[in-house]
Amino acid sequence: DARVTQTPRHKVTEMGQEVTMRCQPILGHNTVFWYRQTMMQGLELLAYFRNRAPLDDSGMPKDRFSAEMPDATLATLKIQPSEPRDSAVYFCASRLGSLHGELFFGEGSRLTVL
Amino acid sequence: DQQVKQNSPSLSVQEGRISILNCDYTNSMFDYFLWYKKYPAEGPTFLISISSIKDKNEDGRFTVFLNKSAKHLSLHIVPSQPGDSAVYFCAASAGMYSGGGADGLTFGKGTHLIIQP
């Protein structure tokens, strides 16, 4: 059963701490996205990769957020230092190939920063 | 600046009746539109899509209508069932036909559909 896997599912941390979220895209999918869901903004695109190369991270606060793909089976999103306003659900999604078409989402990582 | 707008945060519909969810967009470069459904504690799942060369796409109980001149699309669910209670996101992308589009989807804020028994 092919699916996008995200860890952790839930994370509670204190302001100033480093947080790392991980994503395993569907095997063979070469485009990986990070989205953030908040009540105010809905689903916002933070960054995405194609064939492991970062293509767009304009949606991400650069001073504290970083996204990487160490290999084709792992994408990471790191926040350092974390702030209460980062509290949200972070979704990873993947897709094979073409510019268009549906994205397959993971179940999300719910982050709470106290 | 929200390029995809879902102006109804919630909608309540009686079981068996038609549910109509609306979505407006401002970017005239958008040429491919999707609807996603999301249950609590789960990721969004793809429901149905439509490209700008069509004005209607149907899949079982779900139909999406696109009015390009009004920059408006809608999702019709008929008949509505209890399992349809979820948050529905409208999403759009550009460049399918015009070229030069960006990867990724632009999402609306979602509409919470509640089906009343």
Side-chain angles (χ1 to χ4, degrees), chain B residues 32-112:
Chain B
Y32 189 64
F33 305 90
L34 306 88
W35 285 93
Y36 278 77
K37 177 179 180 179
K38 184 185 179 304
Y39 293 120
E42 294 184 10
T45 55
F46 171 74
L47 190 57
I48 193 169
S49 63
I50 188 167
S51 66
S52 59
I53 61 172
K54 295 185 175 182
D55 54 18
K56 176 183 174 181
N57 188 28
E58 193 171 353
D59 183 2
R61 297 186 297 114
F62 303 90
T63 303
V64 56
F65 295 91
L66 176 62
N67 182 335
K68 288 189 293 293
S69 61
K71 293 191 176 68
H72 177 84
L73 62 156
S74 61
L75 174 68
H76 293 211
I77 306 173
V78 55
S80 301
Q81 298 175 353
D84 297 330
S85 295
V87 176
Y88 289 78
F89 289 97
C90 174
S93 66
M96 186 171 212
Y97 300 106
S98 59
D103 252 319
L105 300 175
T106 301
F107 284 85
K109 294 185 181 182
T111 296
H112 186 193

